[in-house]
Amino acid sequence: MAASAQSSVDQGSNEVKDYICNACEDQNNAETSADFYCKQCDRFYCGNCIDLHGKLLAKHTAFGRVDIDKWPVSKKVVDFLLNCYEHKDNKVDKFCTTHSQLCCPQCVSDYHSQCSQVTPISGLTNTQPTDLQGLLVELETVLGEIKRLQISHELSVQSLQRTYKEHTEFIEKQMLANINTTTNIKTTIDECGNSCVSTSGKNEQYLKEEMCRSVLSILNEFDNITVKELNEMKDEVISIKGSVTSSIKKCTGFQKDLSQFHEFVQKIGDNKDLCLIASVKCKHILQQALNLLGKSGKAFNVLGYSEHNVKIPSDSGSCLITGCCVLPNGQVLVADSENYKVKLLNQQYQVVSHCDLADYPQCMCLLTPSKVAVAVNINACNTHEVQFITVTHSQLDPGRKLALQHQCLGISHHQGELFISSATALFKYSLSGKLVCRLYEDRSDVCTVGRCAVSPTGDKLYITSHSQRKLLTLAMDGTLLATFKDHKLRWPCSLHVTPVGQVLVCGGLSSTILQVDWEGRRKLATLATGRDGMWTPRSVCYSSTSSSIIVGTQGLIGDIMVFRVE
């Protein structure tokens, strides 16, 4: 069939010849792009060869490229669709119904030899639905969203660079002010000392020198702290920028794949085998793209759970785990509010390190692969701050602090922006601590804005309303998009969004963990209740390393509960 020789890459250029002239190919001439197709011959011809064809076979009808929809599917398209993702030299020819996967002969041998329903694709074309028009619409929609996400990521990089520049300028001004202060104080002491030395002698001279040394020591220490703070900020910006750049590369890759599918699906025509293959491959790439967009609709299935105690000898009371997050290496950080500590757990959930805090840690969020921000709050002492902590070689190193003028109950981070809740309002800060704006406020009750979280793509914010028993979904400008209520969600005290957009929320008084869809409108699953041993959950996070949901509790049974999920 002509289609067997329809594609070639010109080595002297980037041009891909989707169809080549069969007549030129027969004569071993250089590959030439075809401009015509004869259905009776089932062959392709270039502009020169079509003249001879017309003279010899005058009654045949040849279709030019203006009628390309009447041409058969090109080999370029066929090869793209038939090639196995894993075994590049093989062609897919079967479909495993058990795993909903396309298979080449090697796939069947390696992974599906025990599966009961591995069927040739040709035997499924009349039973499997293939809505290519619907796929085209979905491809166009997701492609547009991926492009918008990439633009958003690129703007985030620019914002990070501005944040670091602003913080550097602020630190430089502080250090310059310290130098001027040091000079002024030294001059004052010199003047005072000179007036005293003439009457009091060596004791006054010694006092003058000690005063100078003390002032210089204090200012030098302050300068060292500001330099350390600047270096910490630089490390944070570099790490976050690297993560954003990686996301931009993923967006670029998905744009290429989605655009290619969008182009090829339109060229398949009525080839049922290719329609089925394209449908399966399209759905696979679309699901990956939706995961990148934080729009996973997959509900977790709980397989079992275990309980772990994180109490250590220096704890003064039982543990109250009000915050938790997972590092990329699988280690877990937990905030123990009852004992004023942040604790580092290994992958077996054993405490390997800890650091003390000045007051109650409320919750925490991950900034970089090795740094977290902890919300610290106690109204009695008027302490409202963010404590930054770095994990280095399984040790916790407290760094700079960000003092706030309002309560600090919840904290979340996305690409250099901090979102902090204060019981009645949600604020946005830059990473350097500059207040950007108040995004949302509700003073109708005592605690209308509890914990907060941001979607992986940074296009949605989620907040819990303790007093109103609601989960609210906001746009990034603070506009209310959705409200979720459920009778199993009493006192929603914590929430977490997974890397693919699955929303988890705790019901503190109802002892439940619910999964809500990424739009924040409906419940997808009840993952744990009191019947499962759940008791007053206070924090929740997901570990992709161990495929588990980690829940912090009040320590009556286990300080943390780990639910294995799939």
Side-chain angles (χ1 to χ4, degrees), residues 94-110:
K94 292 182 175 62
F95 182 76
C96 176
T97 307
T98 305
H99 297 98
S100 298
Q101 290 180 354
L102 295 166
C103 311
C104 72
Q106 191 64 44
C107 289
V108 175
S109 175
D110 291 349

Side-chain angles (χ1 to χ4, degrees), residues 95-292:
F95 182 76
C96 176
T97 307
T98 305
H99 297 98
S100 298
Q101 290 180 354
L102 295 166
C103 311
C104 72
Q106 191 64 44
C107 289
V108 175
S109 175
D110 291 349
Y111 311 118
H112 303 278
S113 59
Q114 303 300 316
C115 297
S116 59
Q117 293 181 307
V118 179
T119 309
I121 288 172
S122 58
L124 292 171
T125 52
N126 293 324
T127 60
Q128 296 290 327
T130 52
D131 178 16
L132 293 188
Q133 192 57 45
L135 281 176
L136 281 172
V137 172
E138 193 169 358
L139 281 166
E140 290 173 359
T141 302
V142 174
L143 184 58
E145 292 188 28
I146 290 286
K147 289 179 180 177
R148 285 191 291 273
L149 178 61
Q150 180 169 348
I151 292 171
S152 173
H153 284 340
E154 290 168 350
L155 292 174
S156 293
V157 172
Q158 296 173 18
S159 176
L160 278 170
Q161 291 170 335
R162 285 196 301 270
T163 293
Y164 179 64
K165 183 180 179 182
E166 291 172 0
H167 195 63
T168 302
E169 291 173 350
F170 175 72
I171 294 294
E172 287 173 350
K173 287 180 182 178
Q174 280 188 314
M175 296 183 72
L176 183 60
N178 290 345
I179 293 171
N180 293 334
T181 301
T182 303
T183 303
N184 294 337
I185 291 176
K186 190 174 185 302
T187 302
T188 302
I189 292 175
D190 285 340
E191 292 173 353
C192 179
N194 290 335
S195 64
C196 295
V197 167
S198 59
T199 57
S200 304
K202 295 182 179 180
N203 288 337
E204 285 76 7
Q205 179 65 27
Y206 174 78
L207 179 61
K208 166 193 165 183
E209 292 173 355
E210 281 297 304
M211 290 174 66
C212 284
R213 276 194 291 270
S214 297
V215 171
L216 288 172
S217 175
I218 292 170
L219 292 175
N220 284 336
E221 183 179 355
F222 183 81
D223 286 345
N224 288 335
I225 291 172
T226 54
V227 169
K228 180 183 177 184
E229 183 178 328
L230 186 60
N231 288 334
E232 286 183 352
M233 171 65 74
K234 181 179 180 181
D235 291 342
E236 290 167 10
V237 169
I238 290 172
S239 179
I240 295 168
K241 184 179 177 182
S243 176
V244 178
T245 303
S246 175
S247 294
I248 291 174
K249 289 180 179 178
K250 289 180 182 178
C251 287
T252 303
F254 275 116
Q255 279 191 53
K256 179 181 177 182
D257 291 343
L258 291 167
S259 297
Q260 204 163 26
F261 268 109
H262 188 268
E263 174 192 350
F264 288 172
V265 166
Q266 298 177 80
K267 298 179 178 179
I268 293 174
D270 58 359
N271 187 314
K272 291 185 177 181
D273 286 6
L274 292 181
C275 284
L276 175 60
I277 293 170
S279 176
V280 174
K281 285 194 170 184
C282 266
K283 288 175 182 176
H284 177 71
I285 193 70
L286 282 168
Q287 186 56 56
Q288 289 182 309
L290 289 172
N291 286 345
L292 179 68

Side-chain angles (χ1 to χ4, degrees), residues 23-73:
C24 289
E25 185 183 34
D26 292 344
Q27 298 173 26
N28 296 319
N29 291 339
E31 293 177 345
T32 308
S33 289
D35 298 307
F36 296 90
Y37 169 69
C38 175
K39 188 172 184 179
Q40 288 93 328
C41 298
D42 192 18
R43 286 171 65 84
F44 296 88
Y45 300 96
C46 64
N48 293 329
C49 294
I50 194 65
D51 291 337
L52 179 59
H53 170 273
K55 292 175 181 177
L56 297 175
L57 302 166
K59 293 185 178 181
H60 284 199
T61 303
F63 298 103
R65 284 190 175 262
V66 292
D67 296 313
I68 202 168
D69 57 322
K70 298 177 181 178
W71 293 23
V73 183

